[in-house]
């Protein structure tokens, strides 16, 4: 799985606990799956930035995470993490509708209605933090306060849902705040009203048929009326977001369908469909259903149409890489990175491909790219794992134990970013013995070690 990194890079958590509602949706017992995708994340950040700024929230301080699930939901959790489920992203028809959801969630952030986990995890990635939050929620639901083993009974699902959901007054205040953020950002509130209408009527359904979003964010007629009244009086009523955001929205949906429902995408389109998003969905769906040659030919058509789009080169590289043409993928990864130099995910994908290539001369460039990926986003566990492999190989080639210690240090970072503090501290301790005292890696290893030690003494 981890070979298919860059394009839609799936990161699974192995904490062993997951919300039962999710377990039912995505197959019982399966860990939550996060989608990492440079293109979709760039779109969500671009759409959200003016809303965050309107709320006096620094856009760079918010992590946007995409959870792979047919469930329609979105929520905010401690540490300014906004989670969007693919089911919700796919349900929105326009950037204004998605902006409405983001504004409402940002209203929860501004109102301080954050779902909090048990303890602060300084070195953990947002994915790991979500795992902890859901584990705590499951513990609350099972009544034992600790980690619950899977398979919770029906009654406890209700308890857990109430842990994760907001009160009606919190909902009303998040709406009011969200509406004012949209106004200040110059975005029509029509999208929020439209999205509410999509969900309206859900309250009348039996609980097990409601969308999760309606359960965690209880929707009432009062809320719908308030949003409608605001829209009617708004001078921005008919304002539209730029075409570029509409294009990104369409491509996001195309990508998600191609990736998550490839059979559907193939039924809906032909190789010569004139619509670009349709061909994009098709190229991805062909690749996902092991029809690499056809996927490549559709992707070449996309590149010919938009030769400066980094994500089309990324897709081509991904198809080549996953089908064993590692050396061939390098040129396209290089091009994608040239066109978009500051994407941690594209850097990582290129670094990983360089690492997997047979040419020893690529090792240094692989390490450079992985370090650059790390600088851009420091807590991606797999970047640390690839760095560990790269430094391990360098230790063999150079016969230098210093690089062996670097590899161990990278494994400590990987464990820390997964929320495994104890394992991280042990690895950091071992790495420090081989690292040059006072070096940057040695200091960082010491930080990781100390992050756990004080708690042990308490
Ligand atoms: Zn809400």
């Amino acid at each position: 799985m981890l070979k298919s990194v860059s394009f839609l890079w799936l990161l699974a958590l192995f904490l062993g606990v997951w919300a039962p509602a999710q377990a039912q949706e995505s197959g019982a017992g399966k860990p939550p799956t996060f989608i990492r995708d440079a293109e979709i994340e760039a779109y969500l950040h671009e759409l959200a930035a003016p809303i965050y700024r309107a709320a006096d929230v620094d856009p760079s301080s918010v992590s946007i995470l995409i959870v792979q699930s047919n469930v329609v939901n979105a929520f905010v959790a401690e540490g300014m993490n906004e989670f969007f489920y693919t089911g919700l992203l796919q349900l929105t028809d326009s950037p204004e509708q998605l902006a409405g959801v983001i504004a409402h969630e940002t209203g929860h952030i501004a109102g301080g209605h954050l779902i909090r986990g048990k303890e602060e995890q300084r070195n953990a990635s947002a994915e790991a933090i979500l795992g902890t939050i859901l584990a705590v929620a499951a513990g609350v639901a099972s009544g034992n306060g600790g980690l619950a083993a899977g398979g919770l009974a029906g009654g406890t699902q209700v308890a857990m849902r109430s842990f994760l959901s907001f009160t009606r007054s919190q909902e009303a205040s998040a709406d009011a705040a969200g509406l004012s953020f949209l106004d200040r950002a110059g975005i029509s509130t029509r999208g929020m009203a439209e999205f509410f209408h999509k969900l309206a009527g859900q309250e009348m359904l039996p609980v097990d048929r409601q969308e999760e979003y309606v359960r965690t964010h209880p929707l009432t007629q009062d809320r719908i009326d308030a949003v409608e009244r605001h829209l009617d009086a708004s001078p921005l009523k008919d304002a539209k977001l730029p075409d570029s955001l509409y294009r990104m929205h369409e491509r996001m949906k195309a990508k998600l369908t191609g990736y998550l429902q490839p059979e559907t995408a193939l039924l809906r389109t032909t190789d010569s469909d004139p619509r670009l998003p349709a061909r994009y969905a098709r190229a991805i769906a062909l690749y996902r259903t092991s029809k690499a040659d056809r996927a490549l030919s559709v992707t070449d058509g996309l590149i010919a149409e938009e030769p400066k789009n980094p994500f089309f080169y990324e897709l081509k590289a991904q198809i080549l890489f996953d089908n064993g043409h590692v050396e061939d993928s390098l040129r396209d990864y290089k091009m994608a990175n040239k066109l978009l130099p500051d994407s941690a995910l594209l850097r990582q994908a290129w670094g990983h491909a360089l690492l997997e290539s047979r040419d020893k001369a690529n090792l240094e460039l692989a390490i450079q790219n992985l370090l650059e990926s790390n600088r851009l986003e420091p807590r991606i566990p797999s970047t640390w794992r690839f760095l560990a492999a790269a430094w391990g190989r360098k230790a063999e080639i150079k016969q230098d134990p210093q690089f062996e210690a670097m590899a161990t240090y990278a494994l400590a970072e990987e464990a820390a970013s997964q929320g495994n503090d104890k394992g991280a501290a042990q690895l950091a301790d071992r790495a420090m013995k081989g690292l040059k005292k006072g070096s940057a890696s040695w200091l960082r290893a010491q930080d990781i070690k100390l992050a756990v030690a004080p708690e042990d003494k308490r």
Side-chain angles (χ1 to χ4, degrees), residues 104-105 108 166 171 174 217 223:
H104 174 89
E105 295 305 318
H108 282 306
F166 297 104
E171 285 306 288
H217 303 265
R223 286 183 64 197

Side-chain angles (χ1 to χ4, degrees), residues 434-445:
L435 290 168
K436 199 170 153 234
K437 200 173 173 184
S439 68
S441 309
W442 184 89
L443 289 169
R444 185 60 204 141

Side-chain angles (χ1 to χ4, degrees), residues 1 6 101-102 114 163 167 172 179 211 215 222 243 254 264 269 370 405 431:
M1 181 188 73
S6 74
V101 175
I102 294 170
L114 297 181
F163 178 84
T167 65
L179 290 169
E211 295 292 4
R215 297 181 195 157
D222 284 355
D243 288 348
T264 307
T269 58
L370 292 168

Side-chain angles (χ1 to χ4, degrees), residues 319-331:
I319 298 168
L320 289 167
F321 182 91
D322 280 359
N323 285 280
H325 306 291
V326 177
E327 315 299 322
D328 293 337
S329 76
L330 296 178
R331 199 187 51 171

Side-chain angles (χ1 to χ4, degrees), residues 152-205:
L152 298 170
T156 56
Q157 285 187 36
V158 177
M160 192 176 72
R161 191 169 304 133
S162 67
F163 178 84
L164 287 175
S165 50
F166 297 104
T167 65
R168 285 171 189 233
S169 71
Q170 285 175 327
E171 285 306 288
S173 90
D175 284 344
L179 290 169
S180 77
F181 301 153
L182 289 170
D183 287 347
R184 256 180 268 166
I187 300 171
S188 170
T189 54
R190 183 180 298 283
M192 194 193 262
E194 285 172 357
F195 194 72
F196 278 10
H197 281 293
K198 265 183 189 281
L199 298 173
Q202 293 263 326
E203 284 287 292
M204 308 301 290
L205 293 173

